[in-house]
mmCIF file of all heavy atoms in Angstrom:
data_model
loop_
_atom_site.group_PDB
_atom_site.id
_atom_site.type_symbol
_atom_site.label_atom_id
_atom_site.label_comp_id
_atom_site.label_asym_id
_atom_site.label_seq_id
_atom_site.Cartn_x
_atom_site.Cartn_y
_atom_site.Cartn_z
ATOM 1 N N LEU A 256 18.967 -13.806 -7.865
ATOM 2 C CA LEU A 256 19.660 -15.098 -7.778
ATOM 3 C C LEU A 256 19.515 -15.706 -6.390
ATOM 4 O O LEU A 256 19.354 -16.922 -6.243
ATOM 5 C CB LEU A 256 21.142 -14.928 -8.124
ATOM 6 C CG LEU A 256 21.455 -14.523 -9.569
ATOM 7 C CD1 LEU A 256 22.963 -14.348 -9.756
ATOM 8 C CD2 LEU A 256 20.922 -15.565 -10.556
ATOM 9 N N ASP A 257 19.551 -14.856 -5.358
ATOM 10 C CA ASP A 257 19.362 -15.344 -3.992
ATOM 11 C C ASP A 257 17.978 -15.955 -3.823
ATOM 12 O O ASP A 257 17.823 -17.013 -3.198
ATOM 13 C CB ASP A 257 19.557 -14.204 -2.991
ATOM 14 C CG ASP A 257 19.163 -14.613 -1.582
ATOM 15 O OD1 ASP A 257 19.961 -15.327 -0.929
ATOM 16 O OD2 ASP A 257 18.056 -14.251 -1.136
ATOM 17 N N VAL A 258 16.955 -15.301 -4.379
ATOM 18 C CA VAL A 258 15.589 -15.814 -4.253
ATOM 19 C C VAL A 258 15.446 -17.139 -4.990
ATOM 20 O O VAL A 258 14.835 -18.095 -4.473
ATOM 21 C CB VAL A 258 14.570 -14.785 -4.771
ATOM 22 C CG1 VAL A 258 13.158 -15.371 -4.764
ATOM 23 C CG2 VAL A 258 14.617 -13.524 -3.924
ATOM 24 N N ILE A 259 16.020 -17.227 -6.170
ATOM 25 C CA ILE A 259 15.963 -18.488 -6.925
ATOM 26 C C ILE A 259 16.616 -19.616 -6.129
ATOM 27 O O ILE A 259 16.071 -20.724 -6.021
ATOM 28 C CB ILE A 259 16.642 -18.319 -8.302
ATOM 29 C CG1 ILE A 259 15.805 -17.380 -9.183
ATOM 30 C CG2 ILE A 259 16.810 -19.672 -8.987
ATOM 31 C CD1 ILE A 259 16.508 -16.925 -10.442
ATOM 32 N N ASP A 260 17.784 -19.337 -5.545
ATOM 33 C CA ASP A 260 18.465 -20.357 -4.750
ATOM 34 C C ASP A 260 17.643 -20.726 -3.512
ATOM 35 O O ASP A 260 17.581 -21.902 -3.133
ATOM 36 C CB ASP A 260 19.847 -19.853 -4.322
ATOM 37 C CG ASP A 260 20.601 -20.886 -3.517
ATOM 38 O OD1 ASP A 260 21.029 -21.898 -4.100
ATOM 39 O OD2 ASP A 260 20.748 -20.704 -2.283
ATOM 40 N N ALA A 261 17.011 -19.729 -2.889
ATOM 41 C CA ALA A 261 16.182 -19.999 -1.710
ATOM 42 C C ALA A 261 15.018 -20.911 -2.073
ATOM 43 O O ALA A 261 14.692 -21.851 -1.331
ATOM 44 C CB ALA A 261 15.674 -18.686 -1.120
ATOM 45 N N ILE A 262 14.384 -20.666 -3.215
ATOM 46 C CA ILE A 262 13.268 -21.502 -3.654
ATOM 47 C C ILE A 262 13.740 -22.931 -3.905
ATOM 48 O O ILE A 262 13.121 -23.902 -3.459
ATOM 49 C CB ILE A 262 12.634 -20.912 -4.927
ATOM 50 C CG1 ILE A 262 11.962 -19.573 -4.614
ATOM 51 C CG2 ILE A 262 11.629 -21.885 -5.545
ATOM 52 C CD1 ILE A 262 11.567 -18.779 -5.847
ATOM 53 N N ARG A 263 14.865 -23.059 -4.594
ATOM 54 C CA ARG A 263 15.363 -24.397 -4.950
ATOM 55 C C ARG A 263 15.856 -25.179 -3.745
ATOM 56 O O ARG A 263 15.694 -26.408 -3.672
ATOM 57 C CB ARG A 263 16.484 -24.263 -5.980
ATOM 58 C CG ARG A 263 15.986 -23.834 -7.351
ATOM 59 C CD ARG A 263 17.132 -23.579 -8.309
ATOM 60 N NE ARG A 263 16.649 -23.336 -9.670
ATOM 61 C CZ ARG A 263 17.408 -22.900 -10.666
ATOM 62 N NH1 ARG A 263 18.694 -22.646 -10.461
ATOM 63 N NH2 ARG A 263 16.887 -22.716 -11.857
ATOM 64 N N SER A 264 16.452 -24.479 -2.790
ATOM 65 C CA SER A 264 17.040 -25.173 -1.638
ATOM 66 C C SER A 264 16.092 -25.288 -0.452
ATOM 67 O O SER A 264 16.375 -26.013 0.506
ATOM 68 C CB SER A 264 18.313 -24.440 -1.192
ATOM 69 O OG SER A 264 18.001 -23.139 -0.713
ATOM 70 N N GLY A 265 14.993 -24.554 -0.492
ATOM 71 C CA GLY A 265 14.042 -24.610 0.606
ATOM 72 C C GLY A 265 14.392 -23.738 1.791
ATOM 73 O O GLY A 265 13.754 -23.823 2.841
ATOM 74 N N ARG A 266 15.400 -22.859 1.638
ATOM 75 C CA ARG A 266 15.760 -21.952 2.730
ATOM 76 C C ARG A 266 14.982 -20.654 2.604
ATOM 77 O O ARG A 266 14.322 -20.400 1.601
ATOM 78 C CB ARG A 266 17.259 -21.657 2.712
ATOM 79 C CG ARG A 266 17.733 -20.892 1.486
ATOM 80 C CD ARG A 266 19.163 -20.424 1.612
ATOM 81 N NE ARG A 266 19.658 -19.801 0.393
ATOM 82 C CZ ARG A 266 19.433 -18.536 0.043
ATOM 83 N NH1 ARG A 266 18.710 -17.749 0.817
ATOM 84 N NH2 ARG A 266 19.929 -18.049 -1.082
ATOM 85 N N ARG A 267 15.069 -19.814 3.633
ATOM 86 C CA ARG A 267 14.454 -18.492 3.558
ATOM 87 C C ARG A 267 15.350 -17.573 2.724
ATOM 88 O O ARG A 267 16.582 -17.692 2.766
ATOM 89 C CB ARG A 267 14.272 -17.912 4.959
ATOM 90 C CG ARG A 267 13.190 -18.634 5.744
ATOM 91 C CD ARG A 267 13.115 -18.147 7.180
ATOM 92 N NE ARG A 267 12.693 -16.757 7.301
ATOM 93 C CZ ARG A 267 11.436 -16.340 7.170
ATOM 94 N NH1 ARG A 267 10.481 -17.207 6.885
ATOM 95 N NH2 ARG A 267 11.134 -15.062 7.323
ATOM 96 N N PRO A 268 14.764 -16.658 1.985
ATOM 97 C CA PRO A 268 15.590 -15.713 1.230
ATOM 98 C C PRO A 268 16.324 -14.776 2.180
ATOM 99 O O PRO A 268 15.935 -14.620 3.343
ATOM 100 C CB PRO A 268 14.562 -14.950 0.385
ATOM 101 C CG PRO A 268 13.287 -15.060 1.153
ATOM 102 C CD PRO A 268 13.325 -16.406 1.819
ATOM 103 N N ALA A 269 17.378 -14.153 1.685
ATOM 104 C CA ALA A 269 18.175 -13.255 2.530
ATOM 105 C C ALA A 269 17.331 -12.085 3.026
ATOM 106 O O ALA A 269 17.548 -11.585 4.140
ATOM 107 C CB ALA A 269 19.384 -12.747 1.744
ATOM 108 N N ILE A 270 16.384 -11.643 2.229
ATOM 109 C CA ILE A 270 15.509 -10.530 2.631
ATOM 110 C C ILE A 270 14.074 -11.050 2.637
ATOM 111 O O ILE A 270 13.554 -11.502 1.613
ATOM 112 C CB ILE A 270 15.659 -9.326 1.695
ATOM 113 C CG1 ILE A 270 17.104 -8.833 1.748
ATOM 114 C CG2 ILE A 270 14.711 -8.198 2.094
ATOM 115 C CD1 ILE A 270 17.487 -7.878 0.680
ATOM 116 N N THR A 271 13.461 -10.992 3.798
ATOM 117 C CA THR A 271 12.161 -11.615 4.018
ATOM 118 C C THR A 271 11.039 -10.584 4.089
ATOM 119 O O THR A 271 11.279 -9.365 4.100
ATOM 120 C CB THR A 271 12.188 -12.397 5.343
ATOM 121 O OG1 THR A 271 12.362 -11.454 6.426
ATOM 122 C CG2 THR A 271 13.328 -13.416 5.364
#
Side-chain angles (χ1 to χ4, degrees):
L256 294 178
D257 171 77
V258 175
I259 292 168
D260 181 71
I262 293 168
R263 289 174 173 170
S264 65
R266 65 171 175 82
R267 289 174 66 77
I270 299 167
T271 65

